[in-house]
């Protein structure tokens, strides 16, 4: 029996409606946007200038090279690198044979000339007596006087030669005239050395320097007579203060840096020679905003940071201009305003407009 037209249309539309309802039930709800936790700081304008950290070493304020004054073959070196020496201590010796022979020859010559002097004095005395008694001539008396003067001069010369020979014999022993520690040796036993050749280098006990290689930009911007905070690298509790004592006038040909020596005031005993130290210098006031170096990322045109909008809690990539940077901090000259929130951790996984959860 045919169905009435309205009912027939309804029945024919029923499968289509069921299909639409089934499709609506299968469709999954859209995923919630991902919220990244990030650590932020509020940008603040740097006050009191930037702190520049440099790594250097502890060295002696003064080093002395010990050398023989005469040539010869080294027979003994009585100290080694790292040993302490005191004033008057013998640290090395040369072979003494030649100097001992020279001293014996000089003494023998002195003995001979002194014998000649006694003979000349006796002859002069006799000629004087004979001249007064009329038994000799004035010419012979004058010859005796001249001979006496000549022999006296020869004795003076012989005595000087003995003194020189004794001094040369003393030069076969190298004696330290300073207190300090041996930092380098320049000759070994058995070597023949020339006068003035460095045998030992002594770091004097008085005074310690912290020596740094300083970039030209930092050197030029440093204030006059700055106070430097120095601590042992990795041990900030072991520290001392000092002031610049010497600045090299010429840059290193390879690194382009200038060697700066900082005289340490009362350094602790732990700051031994060769210790690695970190020096901190506060430069003059520099306009800019200091942020951790971990906040820095890169945009297409250069350095950038992620800035958080507190209202929407989303991030935006902001290009910035750097004034100065070191391993720990960067100083932004343009691109940031005081009070803006800058992401300092988690910058690698962000995208523009992403919602974030703030961790301070």
């Amino acid at each position: 029996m045919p169905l009435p037209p309205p009912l027939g249309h309804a029945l024919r539309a029923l499968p289509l409606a069921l299909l639409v309802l089934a499709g609506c039930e299968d469709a999954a709800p859209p995923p919630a946007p991902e919220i990244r936790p990030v650590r932020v700081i509020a940008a603040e304008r740097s006050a009191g200038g930037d702190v520049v950290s440099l790594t250097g070493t502890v060295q002696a304020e003064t080093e002395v090279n010990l050398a023989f004054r005469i040539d010869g073959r080294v027979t003994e070196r009585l100290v080694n690198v790292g040993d302490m020496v005191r004033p008057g201590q013998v640290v090395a010796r040369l072979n003494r044979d030649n100097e001992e022979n020279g001293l014996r020859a000089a003494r023998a010559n002195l003995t001979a000339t002194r014998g000649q002097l006694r003979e000349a004095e006796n002859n002069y005395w006799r000629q004087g007596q004979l001249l007064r008694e009329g038994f000799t001539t004035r010419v012979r008396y004058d010859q005796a006087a001249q001979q006496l003067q000549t022999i006296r001069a020869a004795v003076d010369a012989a005595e000087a030669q003995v003194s020189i020979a004794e001094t040369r014999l003393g030069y076969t022993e190298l004696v330290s005239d300073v207190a300090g520690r041996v930092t380098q040796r320049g000759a070994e036993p058995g070597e023949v050395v020339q006068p003035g050749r460095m045998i030992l280098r002594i770091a004097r006990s008085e005074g310690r320097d912290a020596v740094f290689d300083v970039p030209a930009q930092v050197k030029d911007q440093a204030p006059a007579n700055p106070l430097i905070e120095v601590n042992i690298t990795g041990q900030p509790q072991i520290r001392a203060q000092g002031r610049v004592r010497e600045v090299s006038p010429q840059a290193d040909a390879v690194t382009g840096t200038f060697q700066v020596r900082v005289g340490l005031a009362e350094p602790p005993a732990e700051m031994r020679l060769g210790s690695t130290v970190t020096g901190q210098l506060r430069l003059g006031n520099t306009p800019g905003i200091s942020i951790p170096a971990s906040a820095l990322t890169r945009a297409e045109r250069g350095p950038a940071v992620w800035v958080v909008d507190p209202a929407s809690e989303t991030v935006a990539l902001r290009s910035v201009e750097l004034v100065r940077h070191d391993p720990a901090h960067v100083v932004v000259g343009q691109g940031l305003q005081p009070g803006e929130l800058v992401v300092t951790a988690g910058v690698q996984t962000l995208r523009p407009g992403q919602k974030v959860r703030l961790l301070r």
Side-chain angles (χ1 to χ4, degrees), residues 121-209:
E121 289 174 341
N122 292 334
N123 185 41
Y124 174 74
W125 182 81
R126 281 196 306 272
Q127 291 296 326
Q129 289 292 331
L130 292 174
L131 180 64
R132 285 190 294 273
E133 296 173 359
F135 292 106
T136 190
T137 63
R138 187 76 183 180
V139 173
R140 288 190 174 183
Y141 174 79
D142 291 342
Q143 289 176 343
Q146 182 179 5
Q147 185 179 15
L148 177 60
Q149 292 179 350
T150 301
I151 298 301
R152 283 176 175 172
V155 171
D156 290 341
E159 290 176 345
Q161 291 298 320
V162 171
S163 177
I164 292 174
E166 290 174 344
T167 301
R168 285 186 60 89
L169 183 61
Y171 287 162
T172 60
E173 291 188 338
L174 183 59
V175 180
S176 174
D177 56 353
V178 298
R181 190 175 296 275
V182 180
T183 60
Q184 186 178 346
R185 61 177 184 266
E188 299 293 337
E191 291 188 50
V192 176
V193 297
Q194 296 299 317
R197 176 177 169 180
M198 187 270 289
I199 305 300
L200 295 170
R201 179 167 295 167
I202 308 296
R204 301 186 65 167
S205 300
E206 304 88 0
R208 289 284 184 270
D209 283 348

XYZ file of all heavy atoms in Angstrom, residues 121-209:
699
model
N 164.184 47.851 49.406
C 164.215 48.712 50.586
C 165.600 48.710 51.232
O 166.105 49.764 51.665
C 163.150 48.253 51.581
C 161.733 48.534 51.124
C 160.702 47.933 52.067
O 161.066 47.022 52.850
O 159.538 48.370 52.017
N 166.239 47.525 51.332
C 167.582 47.445 51.910
C 168.592 48.216 51.059
O 169.478 48.936 51.591
C 168.025 45.995 52.037
C 167.195 45.243 53.076
O 166.652 45.856 54.006
N 167.111 43.924 52.937
N 168.482 48.079 49.737
C 169.404 48.776 48.848
C 169.232 50.280 48.965
O 170.205 51.050 48.994
C 169.175 48.317 47.420
C 170.179 48.924 46.448
O 171.383 49.025 46.759
N 169.702 49.339 45.285
N 167.991 50.723 49.074
C 167.727 52.158 49.209
C 168.296 52.662 50.529
O 168.884 53.760 50.588
C 166.220 52.396 49.133
C 165.810 53.816 49.402
C 166.026 54.814 48.452
C 165.218 54.163 50.615
C 165.648 56.121 48.712
C 164.832 55.468 50.876
C 165.052 56.440 49.926
O 164.684 57.752 50.180
N 168.136 51.882 51.596
C 168.674 52.310 52.896
C 170.209 52.401 52.858
O 170.801 53.346 53.371
C 168.224 51.315 53.958
C 168.686 51.676 55.335
C 168.136 52.563 56.183
C 169.827 51.156 55.994
N 168.835 52.645 57.358
C 169.907 51.775 57.264
C 170.817 50.209 55.641
C 170.933 51.496 58.186
C 171.819 49.938 56.568
C 171.867 50.581 57.816
N 170.905 51.405 52.225
C 172.375 51.416 52.130
C 172.860 52.609 51.325
O 173.828 53.282 51.701
C 172.877 50.122 51.490
C 172.921 48.941 52.418
C 173.778 47.822 51.835
N 173.355 47.446 50.497
C 172.436 46.543 50.201
N 171.806 45.909 51.198
N 172.134 46.267 48.954
N 172.171 52.863 50.167
C 172.605 53.982 49.337
C 172.441 55.302 50.063
O 173.255 56.232 49.894
C 171.801 53.996 48.029
C 172.102 52.852 47.103
C 173.542 52.867 46.606
O 174.157 53.931 46.398
N 174.129 51.676 46.443
N 171.424 55.394 50.913
C 171.270 56.621 51.694
C 172.398 56.796 52.701
O 172.923 57.916 52.881
N 172.777 55.723 53.376
C 173.875 55.789 54.322
C 175.187 56.140 53.614
O 175.967 56.992 54.081
C 174.014 54.440 55.059
C 172.912 54.154 56.050
C 172.947 55.088 57.256
O 174.031 55.588 57.657
N 171.800 55.363 57.832
N 175.453 55.464 52.508
C 176.681 55.722 51.764
C 176.731 57.133 51.220
O 177.808 57.764 51.177
C 176.816 54.716 50.616
C 177.055 53.265 51.034
C 177.012 52.353 49.811
C 178.397 53.115 51.780
N 175.565 57.673 50.809
C 175.549 59.031 50.286
C 175.855 60.033 51.384
O 176.607 60.999 51.160
C 174.168 59.331 49.655
C 174.023 60.735 49.065
C 174.993 60.904 47.890
C 172.584 60.973 48.588
N 175.312 59.798 52.590
C 175.595 60.708 53.686
C 177.073 60.665 54.102
O 177.639 61.648 54.570
C 174.701 60.376 54.886
C 173.253 60.839 54.680
C 172.470 60.704 55.977
N 172.298 59.314 56.393
C 171.306 58.535 55.984
N 170.391 58.996 55.132
N 171.226 57.283 56.407
N 177.736 59.473 53.964
C 179.150 59.319 54.332
C 180.092 59.660 53.184
O 181.312 59.639 53.346
C 179.411 57.894 54.820
C 178.644 57.578 56.106
C 178.781 56.125 56.491
O 179.457 55.366 55.739
O 178.209 55.708 57.509
N 179.534 59.891 52.005
C 180.356 60.290 50.863
C 180.971 59.143 50.113
O 181.920 59.350 49.340
N 180.437 57.927 50.271
C 181.013 56.769 49.596
C 180.237 56.352 48.352
O 180.548 55.322 47.769
C 181.078 55.578 50.557
C 182.069 55.791 51.653
C 181.642 56.079 52.950
C 183.449 55.736 51.411
C 182.558 56.285 53.962
C 184.364 55.939 52.444
C 183.910 56.213 53.732
N 179.198 57.067 47.913
C 178.429 56.753 46.706
C 177.999 58.046 46.052
O 178.136 59.145 46.625
C 177.191 55.904 47.034
O 176.616 55.442 45.832
C 176.157 56.696 47.829
N 177.485 57.908 44.848
C 177.051 59.086 44.094
C 175.553 59.292 44.243
O 174.804 58.408 44.640
C 177.388 58.915 42.604
O 176.661 57.808 42.090
C 178.899 58.673 42.419
N 175.179 60.519 43.890
C 173.752 60.859 43.928
C 172.970 60.057 42.898
O 171.808 59.706 43.115
C 173.597 62.353 43.639
C 172.174 62.854 43.810
C 171.868 62.980 45.270
N 170.477 63.387 45.488
C 169.946 63.579 46.670
N 170.687 63.365 47.768
N 168.718 63.972 46.792
N 173.624 59.718 41.794
C 172.940 58.969 40.741
C 172.543 57.587 41.246
O 171.412 57.127 41.016
C 173.846 58.863 39.497
C 173.214 57.941 38.458
C 174.108 60.232 38.914
N 173.428 56.911 41.931
C 173.097 55.573 42.452
C 171.981 55.643 43.502
O 171.138 54.761 43.574
C 174.344 54.925 43.044
C 175.346 54.489 41.993
C 176.444 53.650 42.620
N 177.335 53.117 41.615
C 178.362 52.303 41.864
N 178.599 51.922 43.128
N 179.145 51.864 40.897
N 172.028 56.691 44.313
C 170.953 56.834 45.308
C 169.597 57.021 44.616
O 168.612 56.405 45.019
C 171.265 58.021 46.214
C 170.141 58.343 47.172
C 169.966 57.595 48.328
C 169.257 59.397 46.904
C 168.932 57.889 49.203
C 168.215 59.683 47.778
C 168.045 58.929 48.912
O 167.021 59.197 49.775
N 169.579 57.861 43.573
C 168.318 58.082 42.849
C 167.837 56.808 42.161
O 166.631 56.526 42.103
C 168.510 59.190 41.816
C 168.706 60.560 42.467
O 168.353 60.686 43.666
O 169.187 61.473 41.784
N 168.773 56.023 41.634
C 168.369 54.755 40.997
C 167.749 53.803 42.020
O 166.771 53.105 41.735
C 169.587 54.105 40.338
C 170.065 54.832 39.104
C 171.336 54.212 38.514
O 172.038 53.430 39.192
N 171.648 54.584 37.288
N 168.311 53.760 43.208
C 167.763 52.892 44.253
C 166.368 53.349 44.667
O 165.466 52.526 44.914
C 168.706 52.883 45.462
N 166.159 54.680 44.743
C 164.835 55.196 45.098
C 163.807 54.854 44.016
O 162.670 54.464 44.315
C 164.907 56.708 45.312
N 164.240 55.002 42.753
C 163.308 54.685 41.659
C 162.967 53.202 41.644
O 161.815 52.816 41.431
C 163.931 55.109 40.332
C 163.015 54.851 39.139
C 163.636 55.292 37.827
O 164.813 55.714 37.808
N 162.894 55.192 36.753
N 163.981 52.355 41.887
C 163.727 50.910 41.914
C 162.771 50.542 43.048
O 161.904 49.679 42.898
C 165.052 50.158 42.058
C 164.873 48.649 41.979
C 166.198 47.904 42.104
O 167.208 48.504 42.537
N 166.209 46.632 41.744
N 162.893 51.199 44.192
C 161.995 50.924 45.316
C 160.546 51.277 44.954
O 159.621 50.512 45.264
C 162.444 51.721 46.537
C 161.562 51.597 47.780
C 161.500 50.137 48.238
C 162.070 52.504 48.894
N 160.346 52.411 44.311
C 158.996 52.805 43.907
C 158.404 51.789 42.915
O 157.221 51.438 42.978
C 159.008 54.200 43.298
C 159.324 55.307 44.304
C 159.345 56.683 43.667
O 159.309 56.816 42.443
N 159.442 57.715 44.502
N 159.255 51.330 41.988
C 158.780 50.367 40.992
C 158.352 49.058 41.650
O 157.316 48.477 41.328
C 159.886 50.105 39.957
O 160.249 51.330 39.322
C 159.417 49.100 38.915
N 159.181 48.577 42.600
C 158.854 47.324 43.264
C 157.595 47.477 44.121
O 156.762 46.563 44.194
C 160.046 46.832 44.109
C 161.244 46.552 43.200
C 159.677 45.571 44.875
C 160.973 45.521 42.131
N 157.424 48.632 44.771
C 156.215 48.855 45.548
C 154.976 48.815 44.658
O 153.942 48.250 45.029
C 156.295 50.202 46.270
C 157.187 50.160 47.513
C 157.314 51.531 48.133
N 158.062 51.464 49.386
C 158.463 52.543 50.075
N 158.186 53.766 49.607
N 159.138 52.380 51.203
N 155.041 49.409 43.483
C 153.921 49.352 42.541
C 153.653 47.920 42.100
O 152.488 47.499 41.957
C 154.210 50.236 41.331
N 154.733 47.136 41.902
C 154.554 45.738 41.513
C 153.870 44.951 42.622
O 153.051 44.067 42.364
C 155.906 45.122 41.153
N 154.209 45.256 43.889
C 153.549 44.581 45.007
C 152.059 44.926 45.034
O 151.210 44.050 45.252
C 154.238 44.955 46.333
C 153.426 44.449 47.516
C 155.652 44.380 46.383
N 151.742 46.209 44.834
C 150.321 46.597 44.785
C 149.584 45.841 43.691
O 148.456 45.354 43.893
C 150.201 48.102 44.566
C 150.650 48.907 45.779
O 150.699 48.315 46.877
O 150.934 50.111 45.623
N 150.229 45.722 42.519
C 149.603 44.999 41.413
C 149.433 43.523 41.752
O 148.403 42.905 41.443
C 150.430 45.165 40.142
N 150.432 42.941 42.407
C 150.343 41.524 42.759
C 149.240 41.298 43.794
O 148.512 40.298 43.736
C 151.682 41.033 43.280
N 149.125 42.211 44.759
C 148.046 42.087 45.734
C 146.676 42.185 45.053
O 145.743 41.470 45.419
C 148.197 43.161 46.807
C 149.391 42.934 47.728
C 149.560 44.064 48.724
O 148.933 45.135 48.503
O 150.307 43.892 49.700
N 146.543 43.087 44.070
C 145.281 43.205 43.337
C 144.978 41.927 42.564
O 143.816 41.481 42.506
C 145.348 44.403 42.385
N 146.033 41.311 41.981
C 145.811 40.066 41.257
C 145.353 38.951 42.197
O 144.506 38.127 41.839
C 147.095 39.648 40.532
C 147.467 40.561 39.363
C 146.400 40.564 38.286
O 145.823 39.525 37.966
N 146.121 41.746 37.749
N 145.890 38.917 43.396
C 145.442 37.925 44.367
C 143.977 38.160 44.727
O 143.176 37.216 44.829
C 146.333 37.967 45.624
C 145.744 37.105 46.737
C 147.738 37.482 45.293
N 143.633 39.428 44.928
C 142.236 39.741 45.260
C 141.301 39.331 44.122
O 140.223 38.767 44.360
C 142.095 41.237 45.551
O 140.750 41.568 45.814
N 141.711 39.594 42.892
C 140.891 39.204 41.737
C 140.758 37.686 41.664
O 139.668 37.149 41.418
C 141.496 39.773 40.436
C 141.376 41.299 40.419
C 140.812 39.168 39.216
C 142.080 41.948 39.244
N 141.863 36.984 41.891
C 141.827 35.522 41.830
C 140.925 34.955 42.927
O 140.185 33.985 42.717
C 143.238 34.958 41.933
N 140.988 35.549 44.128
C 140.109 35.094 45.203
C 138.643 35.349 44.866
O 137.778 34.519 45.164
C 140.485 35.803 46.507
C 141.836 35.356 47.068
C 142.249 36.163 48.276
O 141.657 37.245 48.496
O 143.161 35.718 49.012
N 138.388 36.501 44.258
C 137.006 36.812 43.873
C 136.505 35.840 42.819
O 135.367 35.349 42.892
C 136.920 38.257 43.355
O 137.352 39.157 44.377
C 135.497 38.605 42.958
N 137.352 35.548 41.821
C 136.945 34.596 40.791
C 136.693 33.212 41.388
O 135.779 32.512 40.974
C 138.011 34.500 39.693
C 138.030 35.690 38.753
C 139.020 35.449 37.620
N 138.669 34.264 36.836
C 137.849 34.271 35.764
N 137.288 35.408 35.377
N 137.603 33.154 35.105
N 137.501 32.843 42.362
C 137.263 31.555 43.005
C 135.917 31.563 43.734
O 135.183 30.566 43.720
C 138.392 31.248 43.990
C 138.304 29.894 44.696
C 138.338 28.751 43.680
C 139.420 29.748 45.721
N 135.580 32.686 44.351
C 134.274 32.793 44.995
C 133.130 32.750 43.994
O 132.027 32.286 44.325
N 133.364 33.229 42.773
C 132.318 33.216 41.747
C 131.987 31.810 41.254
O 131.011 31.623 40.516
C 132.736 34.070 40.554
C 132.684 35.561 40.825
C 133.372 36.455 40.000
C 131.962 36.074 41.893
C 133.321 37.820 40.235
C 131.911 37.432 42.128
C 132.596 38.305 41.301
O 132.541 39.660 41.535
N 132.809 30.821 41.620
C 132.464 29.455 41.212
C 131.277 28.912 42.006
O 130.743 27.855 41.652
C 133.669 28.525 41.409
O 134.054 28.520 42.793
C 134.844 28.971 40.539
N 130.875 29.611 43.061
C 129.666 29.256 43.805
C 128.589 30.299 43.520
O 128.824 31.501 43.664
C 129.941 29.185 45.303
C 130.812 28.020 45.707
C 130.903 27.886 47.211
O 130.660 28.875 47.921
O 131.237 26.775 47.682
N 127.423 29.808 43.091
C 126.289 30.698 42.825
C 125.459 30.808 44.096
O 124.901 29.818 44.577
C 125.437 30.151 41.676
C 124.260 31.020 41.235
C 124.720 32.401 40.788
C 123.492 30.334 40.098
N 125.405 32.024 44.646
C 124.739 32.273 45.931
C 123.504 33.127 45.684
O 123.561 34.154 44.993
C 125.693 32.976 46.906
C 124.998 33.233 48.240
C 126.951 32.134 47.123
N 122.382 32.690 46.232
C 121.148 33.469 46.117
C 121.203 34.659 47.067
O 121.600 34.535 48.222
C 119.936 32.594 46.448
O 118.749 33.377 46.483
N 120.800 35.820 46.547
C 120.730 37.011 47.392
C 119.291 37.392 47.713
O 119.043 38.472 48.255
C 121.437 38.187 46.717
C 120.876 38.487 45.342
O 120.026 37.712 44.859
O 121.279 39.505 44.741
N 118.322 36.520 47.370
C 116.911 36.800 47.644
C 116.278 35.563 48.255
O 116.800 34.450 48.143
C 116.149 37.196 46.356
C 116.705 38.469 45.761
C 116.182 36.064 45.330
N 115.139 35.781 48.893
C 114.318 34.673 49.389
C 113.168 34.463 48.417
O 112.527 35.419 47.982
C 113.781 34.985 50.783
N 112.915 33.213 48.066
C 111.841 32.929 47.132
C 111.811 31.467 46.753
O 112.460 30.620 47.375
N 111.048 31.198 45.700
C 110.866 29.825 45.225
C 111.398 29.697 43.809
O 111.192 30.586 42.973
C 109.381 29.441 45.272
C 109.124 27.955 45.014
C 107.652 27.635 45.211
N 107.219 27.855 46.582
C 107.342 26.970 47.548
N 107.905 25.792 47.317
N 106.908 27.247 48.773
N 112.059 28.579 43.532
C 112.615 28.330 42.201
C 111.470 28.009 41.231
O 110.670 27.106 41.483
C 113.619 27.172 42.230
C 114.195 26.920 40.839
C 114.740 27.464 43.223
N 111.398 28.766 40.149
C 110.342 28.555 39.156
C 110.866 27.995 37.836
O 110.083 27.477 37.050
C 109.595 29.867 38.864
O 110.528 30.839 38.358
C 108.943 30.401 40.125
N 112.177 28.099 37.601
C 112.718 27.600 36.335
C 114.211 27.364 36.484
O 114.895 28.060 37.229
C 112.453 28.617 35.212
C 112.848 28.139 33.828
C 112.515 29.159 32.754
O 111.773 30.112 32.992
N 113.045 28.969 31.566
N 114.723 26.353 35.793
C 116.167 26.109 35.760
C 116.652 26.260 34.328
O 115.963 25.930 33.380
C 116.495 24.725 36.314
C 115.882 23.564 35.553
C 116.324 22.232 36.154
N 115.818 21.108 35.392
C 114.711 20.450 35.655
N 113.959 20.828 36.697
N 114.320 19.429 34.924
N 117.899 26.745 34.186
C 118.406 27.024 32.854
C 119.616 26.217 32.457
O 120.077 26.334 31.314
N 120.167 25.426 33.360
C 121.353 24.623 33.033
C 121.372 23.395 33.915
O 120.856 23.404 35.036
C 122.632 25.433 33.201
N 122.013 22.365 33.409
C 122.138 21.106 34.126
C 123.610 20.847 34.442
O 124.509 21.367 33.757
C 121.574 19.945 33.287
C 120.102 20.073 32.935
C 119.197 19.967 34.137
O 119.634 19.382 35.155
O 118.071 20.478 34.088
N 123.903 20.054 35.494
C 125.297 19.696 35.788
C 125.964 19.055 34.576
O 125.379 18.220 33.891
C 125.166 18.715 36.956
C 123.875 19.088 37.622
C 122.969 19.527 36.513
N 127.200 19.466 34.331
C 127.945 18.977 33.172
C 127.962 19.958 32.022
O 128.830 19.862 31.136
N 127.056 20.919 31.990
C 127.033 21.900 30.912
C 128.084 22.973 31.152
O 128.365 23.357 32.288
C 125.658 22.566 30.801
C 124.560 21.645 30.303
C 123.283 22.415 30.040
O 123.342 23.449 29.340
O 122.228 21.997 30.553
N 128.658 23.462 30.048
C 129.573 24.600 30.097
C 128.748 25.847 29.820
O 128.080 25.947 28.785
C 130.710 24.450 29.070
C 131.593 25.694 29.063
C 131.538 23.213 29.372
N 128.795 26.787 30.743
C 127.943 27.974 30.645
C 128.811 29.215 30.499
O 129.977 29.244 30.927
C 127.024 28.103 31.873
C 126.075 26.917 31.954
C 127.835 28.220 33.155
N 128.230 30.230 29.888
C 128.890 31.512 29.729
C 128.436 32.462 30.836
O 127.389 32.271 31.445
C 128.550 32.109 28.352
C 129.050 31.292 27.181
C 130.558 31.165 27.176
O 131.278 32.146 27.425
N 131.054 29.963 26.910
N 129.195 33.509 31.088
C 128.778 34.467 32.120
C 127.409 35.076 31.779
O 127.136 35.443 30.635
C 129.885 35.532 32.084
C 131.056 34.846 31.469
C 130.506 33.846 30.514
N 126.559 35.194 32.788
C 125.251 35.808 32.600
C 124.154 34.868 32.175
O 122.985 35.278 32.162
N 124.476 33.625 31.831
C 123.419 32.694 31.441
C 122.569 32.318 32.656
O 123.098 32.015 33.724
C 124.019 31.438 30.830
C 122.972 30.385 30.489
C 123.576 29.185 29.832
N 122.632 28.089 29.731
C 122.913 26.896 29.193
N 124.118 26.679 28.691
N 122.007 25.949 29.158
N 121.262 32.351 32.470
C 120.362 32.046 33.574
C 120.521 30.585 34.007
O 120.382 29.668 33.212
C 118.911 32.300 33.152
C 117.880 32.166 34.284
S 117.206 30.503 34.463
C 116.194 30.393 32.991
N 120.824 30.411 35.281
C 120.931 29.077 35.860
C 119.647 28.713 36.585
O 119.114 27.609 36.437
C 122.130 28.987 36.820
C 123.420 29.419 36.103
C 122.264 27.572 37.355
C 123.773 28.583 34.898
N 119.114 29.659 37.370
C 117.866 29.465 38.104
C 117.073 30.765 38.065
O 117.643 31.854 38.089
C 118.122 29.070 39.559
C 118.799 27.727 39.816
C 119.200 27.622 41.276
C 117.887 26.568 39.435
N 115.741 30.615 38.006
C 114.850 31.778 38.110
C 114.094 31.667 39.430
O 113.476 30.646 39.722
C 113.870 31.835 36.943
C 112.899 33.010 36.995
C 112.195 33.159 35.668
N 113.152 33.522 34.630
C 112.867 33.483 33.325
N 111.678 33.064 32.913
N 113.771 33.845 32.435
N 114.161 32.739 40.204
C 113.585 32.753 41.546
C 112.411 33.733 41.577
O 112.559 34.896 41.186
C 114.618 33.167 42.609
C 115.893 32.316 42.484
C 114.029 33.058 43.995
C 115.694 30.861 42.745
N 111.259 33.242 42.024
C 110.119 34.112 42.291
C 110.232 34.605 43.719
O 110.148 33.828 44.665
C 108.804 33.360 42.087
N 110.424 35.885 43.873
C 110.650 36.439 45.202
C 109.408 36.286 46.068
O 108.274 36.374 45.589
C 111.053 37.903 45.112
C 112.324 38.129 44.302
C 112.779 39.556 44.355
N 113.176 39.948 45.708
C 113.846 41.066 45.986
N 114.190 41.889 45.003
N 114.163 41.360 47.220
N 109.626 36.080 47.350
C 108.513 35.852 48.264
C 107.689 37.113 48.494
O 106.510 37.041 48.826
C 109.035 35.338 49.614
O 109.736 34.126 49.451
N 108.305 38.280 48.300
C 107.588 39.518 48.574
C 106.698 39.869 47.388
O 107.173 40.181 46.310
C 108.567 40.673 48.822
C 109.567 40.414 49.926
C 110.818 39.717 49.459
O 110.885 39.437 48.251
O 111.699 39.448 50.283
N 105.378 39.819 47.605
C 104.446 40.318 46.604
C 103.940 39.247 45.664
O 104.681 38.353 45.235
N 102.636 39.315 45.362
C 101.990 38.436 44.398
C 101.165 39.292 43.439
O 100.548 40.277 43.831
C 101.076 37.429 45.101
C 101.807 36.365 45.879
C 102.402 35.327 44.954
N 103.045 34.244 45.683
C 104.309 34.243 46.050
N 105.069 35.288 45.780
N 104.825 33.227 46.701
N 101.178 38.915 42.167
C 100.382 39.578 41.146
C 99.384 38.603 40.558
O 99.683 37.402 40.402
C 101.266 40.102 40.007
C 102.003 41.369 40.386
O 101.659 41.954 41.432
O 102.910 41.772 39.633
